[in-house]
Amino acid sequence: MSMSDVDHEKRKQISVRGIVDVENVSNFKKTFNRHLHYTLVKDRNVATTRDYYFALAHSVKDNLVSRWIRTQQHYYEKDPKRIYYLSLEYYMGRSLQNTMINLGIQGACDEAMYQMGLNIEELEELEDDAGLGNGGLGRLAACFLDSMATIGLAAYGYGIRYDYGIFAQKIKNGEQVEEPDDWLRYGNPWEKARPEFMLPVNFYGHVIDTPEGKKWVNTQVVFAMPYDNPIPGYNNNIVNTLRLWSAKSPIEFNLKIFNDGDYIQAVIDRTLAENISRVLYPNDNFFEGKELRLKQEYFMVAATLQDIIRRYKSSKFGSRDHHRTDFDSFPDKVAIQLNDTHPSLAIPELMRIFLDVEGLPWEKAWDITTRTCAYTNHTVLPEALERWPTSMLESILPRHLQIIYHINFLHLQEVSAKYPGDLDRLRRMSLVEEDGEKRINMAHLSIVGSHAINGVAWIHSEILKKSVFRDFYEMTPDKFQNKTNGITPRRWLLLCNPNLSDIIEEKIGSDWTVHLEQLQQLKQWAKDPSFQRDIIKVKQENKLRLAQLLQKDYGIKINSASIFDIQVKRIHEYKRQLLNCLHIITLYNRIKRDPSAPFVPRTIMIGGKAAPGYHLAKKIIKLICSVGNVVNNDPIVGDKLKVIFLENYRVTLAEKIIPAADLSEQISTAGTEASGTGNMKFMLNGALTIGTLDGANVEMAEEMGRENIFIFGMTEEDVQALQKKGYNAYDYYNKLPEAKQCIDQIQGGFFSPSNPDEFKDIADVLLKWDRFYLLADYESYIKTQDEVSKVYQDETKWVEMAIHNIASSGKFSSDRTIADYARDIWGVEPTWQRLPAPHEPRDI
Ligand SMILES: *Cc1c(COP(=O)(O)O)cnc(C)c1O
């Protein structure tokens, strides 16, 4: 149980983990024992390791409480502009270590646990991830919360407290099996329920005209119960709030059945209403028009806007004269950021409240709404864009559909005023799509209802302007912006790679944790043999630790001198895990053709979840596992090549894998990946990237220089040209014998001898229906991979490139991203303010 003395001494030396003082340690031990006794009701004879984890978590949470209360008091008194981030997803991962780091108490907690004979690393492993997200979009929201608290914004995250987060992925016989993620089973020590702030949300019903205007009546009510989660800033005593809503049935739910005498059935049916917050939809970059999902989106938005307006009304600006609230200052005191279109019902809901509840005239309501809301687009893939059938809106949200129609009426009037007679443009720009089933285009609604719309990387924002939203850009060019994504350097370096953090601190101090651009200074040691040795040593240690973990979990012997070549992200055709797979098969065929030829050893790891209904993505997982089976068990291959499918990729696994990577695979078809943030995590941890000129890769290459990254394949313009000309996969298949061999093997059952047809559909897609042009990039990809192997043999050159990667990653801090949102969209300045610590006087 107890950590080895050597490990403990090593953790203690790492100064970024906080100063350890005897009094803090002794107090912390007392708090821990108090929680074990009074909160968990255990003594040390019967306590389980999970009890110790909870006692530790509660003790750490105690350190947040005064800062949390005082931060909220500070906001109430100073009444700064509030920033509201609305997202259906928050992919938070674990909170324990992050909280200790941001509060600067990790050293003290370490020491306290050690003195009590407990292994803190073992306890940390017992925390379930808060997996309330699918992938990049949800993780971005989590990084943004950390940065907003760190740069001192009065920010609030709003979302849904799903009972079940993203499913746990099991691999059985090479296939993905989904298991429900019952993350709340043992309780959540970080959250605080606020039943006193429960709010009603209405569904269904109909609209009537009254002398006072439209009224939405005869609705079914579901209550939204808020759960508050603390978001500590880094080392600044600020603690912001992430408020997640959980659905609660009203007492009188199904009163009719109750009065009919079926009391039992009425009570059982209460769960129907509570299903709204039951489970996260597991699609990434895919729209599935399910009624329950629409209810989730409206549930979150309706509860959140009531909260925002209540808070505005309680401020001095919102205070009422003659029973009427003055909303003129609303856009100066409130900014609402929509994380994709998922919360875009906020626009018609704000209008409904202003018109029907607060009695404002349309023009005024619309002016306030558009000056308050801003929309972030996250994808250009057509299958991902939300287009809700009007029939569904009409039944669930009849008043909102009326409002959307009127927004559209006025919007199309403006379009025809500006472009008289251009009927095709009117059709293209309408919020209502009339071809086939009548639908509302939620991206169009979001653009029209916002003062700012942004893409998430330079190339993505350019594509929005020149193709996806071209008409809107022509009409209102000033609305369109770019905000290149970022990641929090606290979780993605300080927390996950303490040894790298430590050698960076030795050189440049610790300011980089909040001013990541300071990593630039490391360039002066890029050629320094002693610094190079340190970087190589840290990477080697990280690789060894991962190798041991994988050997334990997968029973595969791993050559830790091999290139750790890693692609981890959601499984999707556009991300081209299949292209990676073609490279693996190509390497295998080369080894088999000439087993004695020189070969630079590789361990290729691929991980990620497939949406449960995405059959091809699940087939791709099976193919990777099947290829792995052949490669890993072929004695001719030996330890030259190993293939591992990493099970259950999630935030916690990312933290273990990324610090051990040599090579990061970012190989989406140019023009398809909006930004990517996985790419940034690898760069910050000293992996080199092989990638296309897509998403943020473009800006990464610009920051580090093309000589420090392996760029291959078509540019976005090349892709456009190929699309225009017409793509024929057979052109490449017939010309490239190595590619032909791979596809013939997939097609012919080489990797599935017991079921030769198993992967025929994959070969079919590659040759006939491939929307992502894998074979057009195959030759360039393979050649560039050969270059990777060549450079890897030159250890000095490789580590020099790695140092340039780390040193150039400053731009990709989410602190920079959030500072840009603050200044250009929200109209607030990052303060980087510190509040006094709880033991310090309040006014400093
Ligand atoms: C960062 C992250 C992602 C996003 O990865 P991309 O490569 O940008 O798609 C997805 N899942 C997890 C768990 C992450 O940490």
Side-chain angles (χ1 to χ4, degrees), residues 519-579:
L519 292 179
Q520 287 207 41
Q521 297 174 58
L522 294 173
K523 282 181 187 161
Q524 63 189 292
W525 295 287
K527 287 178 190 287
D528 178 89
S530 144
F531 188 60
Q532 290 182 341
R533 270 197 305 279
D534 288 346
I535 294 283
I536 291 169
K537 181 162 163 273
V538 165
K539 183 62 78 180
Q540 197 51 43
E541 284 169 6
N542 291 342
K543 286 174 71 175
L544 228 95
R545 192 177 324 106
L546 180 63
Q548 281 164 7
L549 189 103
L550 297 180
Q551 250 150 260
K552 184 163 69 74
D553 289 358
Y554 297 87
I556 295 173
K557 179 99 185 69
I558 286 160
N559 174 3
S560 70
S562 65
I563 304 176
F564 279 22
D565 169 344
I566 307 186
Q567 184 177 26
V568 281
K569 48 183 76 246
R570 287 299 293 258
I571 309 293
H572 208 297
E573 287 166 89
Y574 86 84
K575 292 175 182 281
R576 300 202 294 191
Q577 282 90 358
L578 258 181
L579 183 59

Side-chain angles (χ1 to χ4, degrees), residues 91 135-136 139 492 568-569 575 649-651 654 666 673 676-679 681:
Y91 208 168
R139 184 54 232 176
W492 297 112
V568 281
K569 48 183 76 246
K575 292 175 182 281
Y649 179 61
R650 62 199 187 284
V651 172
Q666 307 298 337
E673 185 76 274
T677 50
N679 46 4
K681 299 167 195 165

Side-chain angles (χ1 to χ4, degrees), residues 91 129 133-140 143 284-285 485 487 491-492 567-570 574-575 577 608-609 648-655 658 664-666 673 675-682:
Y91 208 168
D129 276 32
N134 275 287
L137 175 148
R139 184 54 232 176
L140 185 77
C143 285
D284 186 67
N285 277 297
N485 281 168
I487 56 171
R491 183 175 294 262
W492 297 112
Q567 184 177 26
V568 281
K569 48 183 76 246
R570 287 299 293 258
Y574 86 84
K575 292 175 182 281
Q577 282 90 358
K609 290 170 186 175
N648 202 23
Y649 179 61
R650 62 199 187 284
V651 172
T652 299
L653 193 57
E655 290 165 9
I658 291 168
S664 158
E665 299 264 357
Q666 307 298 337
E673 185 76 274
S675 164
T677 50
N679 46 4
M680 302 166 185
K681 299 167 195 165
F682 282 99

Side-chain angles (χ1 to χ4, degrees), residues 148-166:
M148 289 190 289
T150 296
I151 74 172
L153 300 184
Y156 301 77
Y158 275 93
I160 293 176
R161 179 182 180 271
Y162 301 106
D163 297 337
Y164 294 86
I166 187 67

